[in-house]
Structure formats: structure tokens, C-alpha cells
Amino acid sequence: MKITRLTTFIVPPRWCFLKIETDEGITGWGEPVLEGRAHTVAAAVDELADYLVGKDPRHIEDHWTVLYRGGFYRGGGVHMSALAGIDQALWDIKGKALGVPVSELLGGNVRSRIKVYSWIGGDRPSETAAAAQAAVARGFTAVKMNGTEEMQYVDSYDKVERCLQNVAAVREAVGPNVGIGVDFHGRVHRPMAKVLVKELEPYKLMFIEEPVLSEHEEALKEIARISSTPIALGERLYSRWDFKRVLQGGYADIIQPDPSHAGGITETRKIASMAEAYDVALALHCPLGPIALAANLQLDAVCYNAFIQEQSLGIHYNQANDLMDYVSNPEVFAYQDGMVAIPTGPGLGIEVNEDYVRERAQEGHRWRNPVWRHRDGSFAEW
């Protein structure tokens, strides 16, 4: 079997899909995207395609190694996201060629379904209590919300109070047994993160995500010492070498690699295994499309330390299109009792509606994350 072509599709609301074709008629799909840099990642896929065309797609580990190590400059969001989508598509091809799901090729399932959470409240958290109640009514047993709006290095206490009021309202609305994740989104700096982490303790959160940016290891170490709430991070880390420092330092209780950013199925499985050795939980990052979710679920099936899965159904970014629009068999994402089933079909287990993908690619997108500023005019982390 030989690879004959790689084709990328920029599709609404903010995604990039990849189709890899072979001379035996078997095709694989992946989702190589970095939110706000979709066209850049597509260009990187095109560059990596020069090596892949004419190769046997089943030699996944070797292809991953060459596509990563074969460039003098390596790593980072764009390179690893391009490699991620390629890797997903190669696993999809291999599973289809053998007639088994990817999880079977990775050693077989340790679970048949996994708990999921629903995003509530949007970029600027508001009306979160009503949104949380609606999510619970739809069967979700966990939700995640942004904790704050803009926050300066040292800010006024009204910002803290607003965060506490939002979280308190959600906790009151859903009761004591629904998990609540609060995402600081890297918007908070060390001085205020210490305040927020302490003040949020009474609400018994499922986790606090990215209390500060992941590059601030000293701050993460301090926050980990003072917080009884599990600390989650990792969506902006892209390889096992990035995660090595976090795991060795003991800064995180939950890691959140994104299999569309962190080198695909091949690399994310290795990251998950490293975390398991440190007794750290896995909650894969996936506010993306159906191909990405299918890849995530194949990993959840085989990673023992996976405990919950992010997914984008109804997320505030999905305005022009939503999660199920691009697949012909949406029933494989069987949501029930706050969980979603692991797809069991060949490869990633989904059937991409290529005609609709091509139709929506005619519109495409140029999604960019907002640029926020503080009241004094200085840049604010989004």
C-alpha cells in the first residue's frame, strides 16, 4: 500500500480536516489544527507531505519519527499539530485496512465508554448557573467554565468576588455531586492565582485548569503546594519532552494533552503512559471537531488513567457548524448518563461526510481568538 495524496480542508467553525488517500482505495482522516492558525498548520501538512507520498502508510512509528526528527527545527504548536493530524489519519488507514478500531491495535480497550463534560458560560462567564442546570438536564454529570475575565498581575478584589459568585451559583444550581472544572485559561498571573485558588476551595471543584501559563513552573510549584483542588494543565504543551518537566516537578494532578496538537495518537499515548507512572490523571483536551473527538476516544479506550473527556457539542465557538455535522454516522457518539461510548468501527470509527466537508470548505474560515486589553490599554491574556 502506498500513500498517493494528502488533502486539507479548512471548514467552519474553526477546524481543519485532512484526508490521506492510498493506491488501494483506503482513506484516512485526521484533524490537524491549531485554533487561530489553521491555514498555517495546513501549510505545514503540505510540507510534510513531500516525504509521505509514495510511502507505506502502515509504518506509523517510523513516519512519526522521521516527520519529527527529520527536521532540524522541531516541536511547537504548528509542527506538532500538523504531525498530529497526519498521525491520526495513518492510524485510521491502518485500522480500516485490518478491519478493527484503532484501540484494538493499541492493545485493546480498558473501558467501553468515558465520562464527558459540557462547557458552560462562554469566554466571559455569565449565566453559568442556568447553563449548568441545562447541561445536567441533558445528562451531563460534569461541567467546565471559565473562571475570570481579564485579570491584571495584581487586581482588585471585585474580580475575585465575581469569580466566586459565578462558581457559587453553579454549585448551588447543580448540587454537591456534579463535577465543576474552573479554567483560569492562563489569564491569571501568579499573585492573583494564589488568591483565587485559596478562595475557591469551599466549592469542592473537580479541578482548576491552567491556574497560570504552563511556562511558569515556579508559580505552578507554589500553587500545587497550597491547593487541595487538583491542578490540570497541558493543552499548550506539545510533546513528551514538554510534559517531562511538569511530571518530574509534580506540578499537575491532571494532564490535558490535545491529540490534535501533541503529535497525534502515537505521541499522546506515550505522554499518557508517562503520566501514569507519576500517578497523574489524564483528561484529553478536545474543543474541536468529530475527527479529533474520535481520535481522543480511541486513546481513552486504552489509557487506564483517563477519567474524563472534553468535547465540543454545543460549545460557544460552534456557531456555523457543530460537532455532528460532518459525520454520516453521528450515532457512534452515543451520549448517555453523562458518558460517551467509544466508537467500535474500523479505524477511528467514524464515517466522514466528504461531500459536506468539501461544500463547507468552499466557505472556510479565518477564526482568530479575541484580543483583549485591560482598562489601562495594555494587552490582556485571553
Side-chain angles (χ1 to χ4, degrees), residues 15-54:
W15 304 331
C16 176
F17 296 163
L18 166 66
K19 179 185 178 183
I20 297 183
E21 299 174 66
T22 69
D23 60 356
E24 294 190 9
I26 300 173
T27 60
W29 288 86
E31 197 165 329
V33 66
L34 194 64
E35 298 93 304
R37 298 288 185 269
H39 292 81
T40 311
V41 173
V45 171
D46 183 62
E47 292 177 336
L48 296 174
D50 292 345
Y51 172 79
L52 285 170
V53 171

Side-chain angles (χ1 to χ4, degrees), residues 107-379:
N109 292 24
V110 299
R111 61 178 56 85
S112 59
R113 57 182 186 157
I114 189 165
K115 186 176 181 177
V116 289
Y117 63 79
S118 175
W119 261 97
I120 57 171
D123 281 341
R124 297 178 183 275
S126 62
E127 300 181 354
T128 43
Q133 282 183 319
V136 171
R138 296 195 306 273
F140 289 97
T141 58
V143 296
K144 187 171 82 172
M145 59 187 286
N146 278 311
T148 71
E149 300 182 6
E150 303 93 327
M151 186 163 279
Q152 279 277 20
Y153 270 87
V154 177
D155 216 321
S156 55
Y157 203 83
D158 64 311
K159 298 277 190 73
V160 175
E161 192 63 36
R162 195 172 305 138
C163 172
L164 299 179
Q165 289 171 355
N166 282 335
V167 174
V170 171
R171 175 54 75 203
E172 183 178 355
V174 301
N177 298 321
V178 170
I180 303 173
V182 174
D183 189 355
F184 287 10
H185 219 249
R187 298 172 183 172
V188 184
H189 300 277
R190 179 176 181 164
M192 298 307 297
K194 291 163 60 179
V195 174
L196 282 167
V197 165
K198 179 180 178 182
E199 295 286 355
L200 284 167
E201 292 222 352
Y203 302 104
K204 297 180 173 58
L205 301 178
M206 181 171 59
F207 57 77
I208 290 173
E209 182 172 339
E210 276 196 325
V212 295
L213 292 169
S214 296
E215 54 259 38
H216 297 311
E217 294 180 17
E218 300 84 359
L220 287 167
K221 184 175 182 180
E222 182 176 5
I223 291 166
R225 279 202 307 265
I226 66 174
S227 175
S228 64
T229 303
I231 300 299
L233 59 86
E235 69 190 64
R236 288 187 264 195
L237 301 176
Y238 308 111
S239 71
R240 72 198 92 149
W241 298 282
D242 289 345
F243 279 94
K244 178 171 68 171
R245 296 189 300 274
V246 170
L247 293 170
Q248 287 178 336
Y251 310 141
D253 306 292
I254 303 162
I255 60 161
Q256 300 170 303
D258 188 318
S260 280
H261 302 336
I265 292 169
T266 297
E267 183 71 354
T268 306
R269 174 74 187 279
K270 294 173 182 178
I271 293 167
S273 295
M274 287 171 59
E276 187 180 351
Y278 285 90
D279 206 23
V280 168
L282 179 72
L284 295 175
H285 180 258
C286 187
L288 298 171
I291 304 171
L293 179 58
N296 276 255
L297 294 174
Q298 295 298 324
L299 282 162
D300 290 325
V302 300
C303 295
Y304 176 70
N305 51 337
F307 82 101
I308 200 166
Q309 176 61 58
E310 182 174 27
Q311 50 82 52
S312 74
L313 189 63
I315 197 171
H316 49 288
Y317 303 119
N318 296 357
Q319 296 177 0
N321 283 104
D322 209 340
L323 181 66
M324 303 298 190
D325 294 349
Y326 292 102
V327 291
S328 302
N329 59 339
E331 69 277 0
V332 301
F333 297 123
Y335 288 83
Q336 187 176 4
D337 301 326
M339 306 185 108
V340 68
I342 310 293
T344 58
L348 296 179
I350 59 171
E351 298 169 8
V352 175
N353 184 341
E354 184 175 343
D355 289 340
Y356 188 67
V357 169
R358 290 183 179 275
E359 176 187 331
R360 298 301 288 143
Q362 296 300 309
E363 178 175 331
H365 69 82
R366 293 188 69 83
W367 187 87
R368 299 291 183 266
N369 66 249
V371 175
W372 287 0
R373 292 190 180 275
H374 295 295
R375 292 178 61 189
D376 63 5
S378 63
F379 176 82

